[in-house]
Amino acid sequence: MAAHKVICWDCGAEVTDPFVNTCPKCGGLLTVKMDLEKVKEMKPTDLHKTQIGVWRYAPFMPVDPAHKVSIQEGGTPLYPVKALGETIGCKNAFVKFEGLNPTGSFKDRGMTIGVSHANELGAKVVGCASTGNTSAALAAYAAKAGMKCAVFLPSGKVAMGKLAQALFFGAKVLSIDGNFDDALALARKMADERKLYLLNSINPYRPEGQKSVLFEIMDQLAYDVPDRIILPVGNAANIWAVYKACMELKEVGWIDKVPMLTGIQAAGSAPVARAFEAKNKTFEPEPNPETVATAIRIGNPVSGRKALAAMYNTGGYCTTVTDEEIIAAQQLLGRKEGVCVEPASAASVAGLKKLIEIGVADKDERVVCICTGNGLKDPDTIINNCAPPIKCGNSVADVERILSE
């Protein structure tokens, strides 16, 4: 096992029970503290012996590669989006497209490390609550590992593309009467009773894999640190993971500054954004979150306090965008750059546009928008917001007429 320890993010106590997800002493959140002394003797080019992807960064990961469960996650493209940037007023914009991971979202990064750690522990049953992407990823990695998998879904609140994946990979899919927070409460109870190994982002090993998106961005930009990185915020573990990766790269001396980490929430599901606006270090849960961006429709984000710390500590920002702004950004990204993302992913692009309009972001900033999931995760939303197929006669003249309109 790679050198590390699990500590309480709140009180600092070391936690030795590998099956708990909160601090036995104070009930606080957990995090992994890596021992990076050996990495300090390395250079970024020392990692280039292996293909770009999550396991390229094994020295930063708390799992022995001997227990690796992988389906070649990571290695996603970083697109310079010049046409999009010109439209929204940011000439140095990039999109990190996580929708090209094996199951179509960034969750594969966390799941390869989480399931590998479960494998390390000898777990036979894994589980999660999910609005969709987590369940798809866990189901796939559990199948690869030969583990039983249970996913707890909020009733009627999951996009069909994600539900199809969980079913396809053979998970036991349980539709819970309630929202995401209700589903997570039941999954946590099962974990507390040691009936499954929980792999929601409250598990401290999940965000460790998600750190790799920042490592890849640095590789792809030749360690020229961008001014700002913008992420959608739902359960909030991803922005915390990016912050943790920045701190680790700074600790080993590979970067000497950090980007402004900026979180974007949907207006109908914005407990973290409201807390940021009030300059609070904690947040009040949203009892009835609602947004077309189902992947970030979470009212009580487990890592919300960590996300706030990440934004405050980097001089970042947090704001909201409406569903209309999300859909407009989703279509803009598709029609200007040929990149198809799900609504939650488009929140980062919609957020960049808003930040420039309100003067928070400068048009000359070098900005990376992380787009977390593939558009085919939620085809219904795409179809519902596009014009229907055009009726056309079986003739060249009809086609020419339509194309000329």
Side-chain angles (χ1 to χ4, degrees), residues 85-118:
E86 289 175 2
T87 302
I88 64 177
C90 182
K91 62 184 180 182
N92 292 312
F94 296 81
V95 161
K96 179 66 168 168
F97 186 34
E98 290 291 274
L100 294 185
N101 272 294
T103 75
S105 89
F106 77 101
K107 296 294 178 72
D108 293 348
R109 294 182 182 274
M111 216 54 80
T112 186
I113 298 299
V115 174
S116 294
H117 183 57

Side-chain angles (χ1 to χ4, degrees), residues 314-361:
T314 60
Y317 199 76
C318 190
T319 190
T320 65
V321 289
T322 65
D323 281 2
E324 291 76 18
E325 289 170 325
I326 287 171
I327 296 302
Q330 181 189 32
Q331 294 182 345
L332 193 63
L333 186 56
R335 292 167 190 181
K336 291 290 184 179
E337 300 292 345
V339 178
C340 181
V341 303
E342 67 170 315
S345 300
S348 60
V349 176
L352 174 57
K353 183 175 184 292
K354 178 177 178 177
L355 293 174
I356 292 170
E357 290 171 349
I358 65 178
V360 170

